[in-house]
Amino acid sequence: MSPVSASTAYPSPTVAVASALPKRKVASSVLIVPVVGGSEDDAAAKVVANPYLDAEAVGEIEVALEALGAKGGAEQLSRVVAPSLPVDSVLAVGLGKDRDTWPADTIRRAAGVAARSLSGVETVITTMSDIDLEATVEGLMMGSYRFTAFRSDKTAPKDTGVRKITALTPDTRAATKEIAARAAAIATAVATARDLVNTPPSHLFPAEFAKRAKALGESAGLEVEVLDDKVLAKEGYGGIIGVGKGSSRPPRLVRLVHRGGNNQARTRGADSGGGKTVALVGKGITFDTGGISIKPAANMHHMTSDMGGAAAVIATVVLAAQQKLPIDVIATVPMAENMPSATAQRPGDVLTQYGGITVEVLNTDAEGRLILADAIVRACQDGPDYLIETSTLTGAQTVALGSRTPGVMGSDEFRDRVAEISQSVGENGWAMPLPEELKDDLKSTVADLANVSGSRFAGMLVAGTYLREFVADGVQWAHIDIAAPAYNTGGPWGYTPKGGTGVPTRTMFAVLEDIAASG
């Protein structure tokens, strides 16, 4: 039995809002305060004005910061003691130069950096929430994330980590608490996606992945359907079956349905997006060796993340249900393991995708588009207004856009809408074109399509062009390629840890909210 439950392996902190500092000292606590640089380059850091600290406390903090030589540079951290405050210590986090307003992601990242630095602290109190409550809560919670499920007592962290966050805000009415609760729910969904990505393929194979998706879905009240390999073969899911043929662990297809459209009349106005249906599709390759077209050994272990799209889709539809979005959201999640064996599909084989299109498999390492195509056709049978699908699709995404910027392809208007929303939440999706001439590169001499082109250029766009062939007419569609952004192979930064990042959970949920609000 796996040591990781269907819920997050690292429990999320609880979040509360308050209008003042506690009157008595709080054990194992830290106060996080934002600071800025002075008007001169060599000026000491200054505490950002807020109503929670009196002149004595501000003076204590600024004197200590000056003694440390802290300048308030962006995301610079300084730990000091302020005897007049009811906490063990104060953690000052720099926001850079003083300004009237800060972008939400500046606050989010600063909060994340602060949270990542904390060890042996159970309670965090912060005045950053006076600038942006939502961004502060998200940043603190995402920065607090740890994945320790497979650590023995010998190497597991000795401290329990942050267990409680108190966000200081002058307005503690119910609406404000709802903002904090929504931010906490989003961060928890990101943690769920991260947990799934970080779980090694020895413990997260298609059947187990489907089991966890079902448990998460049922816990949120979703309708759940799981198709095993026998049903998939019978119903003609040739892409999923073809990719899974080389593994001893057969594939699955999971369907998770949130029926929120009936909430529209009592929760939204006449101009809302109530009654809309959104399909979500995510690539769930639990491990990708490349199959017969095998990958190089170096860094192949990173392919534990090749189900990052599926993880984000599962987390997003569960979050949509928890937040009672007044739209229907239907997730279709194909799951397979791409392995080389005597039963694996071969370069040159022809398979039939769900819906009837035949495909010549020229490269078995271009397997994600094969399982996604089956899922896209099935998702379109539900008659959605919008389709969002995401995957760790191509190494070409990394070549084109780097490790932190997802590529967004699709129908022009919806693609641009998704990219803009992605940038607004700090996941920074970038709109990419799908030139018509690329379809010619996917011609096959023996089948309707080839799964790769003969050119090494525009690999991300060619993959998007392939997927477009399976999207039903009239469906507004966007694909988010997260090949690198789903899994951080470098050092942690901002609120992003090493390993699974949870991208693009926040993008997809924000798009769902936008559709729910405006159609």
Side-chain angles (χ1 to χ4, degrees):
M1 182 177 177
S2 169
V4 185
S5 69
S7 60
T8 55
Y10 190 80
S12 296
T14 61
V15 177
V17 296
S19 58
L21 287 166
K23 296 186 180 302
R24 296 186 179 85
K25 187 167 184 177
V26 179
S28 185
S29 62
V30 66
L31 174 67
I32 299 176
V33 298
V35 298
V36 294
S39 57
E40 302 296 333
D41 290 341
D42 60 349
K46 300 295 182 184
V47 175
V48 174
N50 65 78
Y52 315 106
L53 302 178
D54 59 24
E56 179 185 3
V58 171
E60 290 174 341
I61 295 170
E62 292 183 347
V63 167
L65 291 175
E66 184 174 12
L68 291 174
K71 304 301 182 186
E75 299 179 23
Q76 182 187 68
L77 300 176
S78 303
R79 194 87 167 259
V80 301
V81 175
S84 68
L85 294 174
V87 291
D88 293 332
S89 62
V90 174
L91 181 61
V93 56
L95 300 181
K97 293 294 185 182
D98 197 5
R99 55 201 299 179
D100 293 332
T101 60
W102 281 274
D105 209 48
T106 297
I107 303 302
R108 198 180 287 117
R109 288 175 62 171
V113 167
R116 283 197 297 104
S117 74
L118 297 176
S119 178
V121 174
E122 294 183 6
T123 301
V124 165
I125 305 168
T126 182
T127 66
M128 292 186 71
S129 44
D130 193 55
I131 301 173
D132 189 324
L133 173 62
E134 184 174 13
T136 297
V137 171
E138 287 183 3
L140 287 173
M141 291 189 66
M142 290 191 291
S144 297
Y145 176 84
R146 308 287 188 275
F147 186 73
T148 60
F150 293 87
R151 296 284 188 184
S152 69
D153 292 341
K154 184 176 181 179
T155 63
K158 301 304 179 185
D159 63 281
T160 59
V162 175
R163 299 272 55 86
K164 182 178 180 181
I165 294 170
T166 299
L168 297 178
T169 173
D171 182 356
T172 58
R173 290 176 297 181
T176 303
K177 293 178 181 179
E178 288 177 6
I179 291 172
R182 174 186 171 279
I186 291 171
T188 300
V190 170
T192 296
R194 289 175 176 178
D195 281 345
L196 290 168
V197 171
N198 288 330
T199 302
S202 54
H203 290 70
L204 193 75
F205 42 91
E208 175 66 15
F209 196 8
K211 178 181 176 182
R212 296 190 194 191
K214 180 180 180 181
L216 284 164
E218 290 177 344
S219 70
L222 300 175
E223 300 171 20
V224 181
E225 179 186 19
V226 179
L227 279 61
D228 65 16
D229 54 309
K230 295 181 179 61
V231 175
L232 291 171
K234 180 181 178 181
E235 296 191 4
Y237 289 87
I240 301 172
I241 290 295
V243 173
K245 283 170 59 177
S247 176
S248 62
R249 304 191 286 194
R252 296 287 188 272
L253 180 73
V254 177
R255 302 253 299 159
L256 303 169
V257 182
H258 163 61
R259 301 289 184 190
N262 290 335
N263 295 331
Q264 188 269 339
R266 61 178 178 271
T267 60
R268 301 285 177 177
D271 295 330
S272 79
K276 297 293 185 183
T277 297
V278 183
L280 302 180
V281 172
K283 172 184 170 184
I285 298 294
T286 57
F287 192 75
D288 183 18
T289 66
I292 298 298
S293 307
I294 197 163
K295 295 177 180 290
N299 297 320
M300 191 193 288
H301 62 286
H302 292 159
M303 289 299 100
T304 186
S305 67
D306 213 23
M307 35 61 67
V313 162
I314 292 165
T316 300
V317 68
V318 169
L319 179 60
Q322 292 170 339
Q323 295 297 299
K324 297 181 173 57
L325 292 191
I327 55 176
D328 289 348
V329 183
I330 307 174
T332 303
V333 188
M335 302 171 176
E337 185 176 55
N338 190 24
M339 300 288 285
S341 75
T343 59
Q345 65 179 350
R346 296 158 292 260
D349 281 0
V350 172
L351 58 77
T352 302
Q353 301 270 194
Y354 185 71
I357 292 177
T358 60
V359 175
E360 183 183 11
V361 181
L362 297 179
N363 187 325
T364 65
D365 194 25
E367 85 298 330
R369 65 200 69 181
L370 300 177
I371 71 169
L372 287 170
D374 280 357
I376 288 170
V377 175
R378 175 62 188 91
C380 287
Q381 289 179 343
D382 298 315
D385 300 284
Y386 301 93
L387 168 63
I388 308 170
E389 40 105 4
T390 185
S391 71
T392 48
L393 189 64
T394 65
Q397 175 275 321
T398 310
V399 175
L401 295 174
S403 61
R404 300 184 186 182
T405 305
V408 185
M409 298 166 281
S411 49
D412 291 353
E413 182 180 349
F414 190 50
R415 172 203 63 196
D416 292 349
R417 182 179 179 183
V418 171
E420 182 179 355
I421 290 172
S422 181
Q423 291 164 29
S424 74
V425 301
E427 290 189 334
N428 302 318
W430 195 258
M432 303 295 289
L434 291 178
E436 285 299 325
E437 66 270 16
L438 293 180
K439 184 178 177 181
D440 290 340
D441 293 341
L442 293 170
K443 288 182 177 178
S444 166
T445 58
V446 297
D448 297 330
L449 289 173
N451 76 324
V452 295
S453 76
S455 170
R456 66 186 181 91
F457 300 113
M460 175 171 54
L461 310 186
V462 169
T465 299
Y466 182 91
L467 294 175
R468 183 178 60 187
E469 292 301 301
F470 299 89
V471 179
D473 292 341
V475 177
Q476 298 187 61
W477 161 67
H479 174 84
I480 308 172
D481 191 338
I482 52 168
Y487 195 75
N488 179 21
T489 61
W493 54 276
Y495 47 80
T496 302
K498 188 176 177 66
T501 65
V503 173
T505 303
R506 291 186 295 124
T507 292
M508 290 190 292
F509 181 68
V511 173
L512 294 180
E513 284 193 314
D514 190 58
I515 292 170
S518 58

